[in-house]
Amino acid sequence: MTVTLNGNPTELPDGATLIDAINASGASERRGVAVAVGGEVVPRAQWAARELAEGEEIEVVRAVQGG
């Protein structure tokens, strides 16, 4: 299936979850990561269970420290 991940078309396997999208983005499931699907933030506790559908828009944001 094709989803939009951080603004780019990305192929993920059918039945992929948000964990798969996070990994495809290059981020990890560690702290400092937030995920939104269709503009709605998805709580971390739901990442493993939230299956994705064809065409969904996913944003994976990593907090970066610095100054």
Side-chain angles (χ1 to χ4, degrees), residues 15-43:
T17 66
L18 278 179
I19 298 293
D20 297 311
I22 292 165
N23 292 333
S25 76
S28 69
E29 303 165 40
R30 293 179 285 150
R31 297 178 64 160
V33 175
V35 180
V37 177
E40 296 288 325
V41 175
V42 178

Side-chain angles (χ1 to χ4, degrees), residues 4 6 9-10 14 18-19 23-24 52 55:
T4 302
N6 291 344
T10 304
D14 289 341
L18 278 179
I19 298 293
N23 292 333
L52 301 173

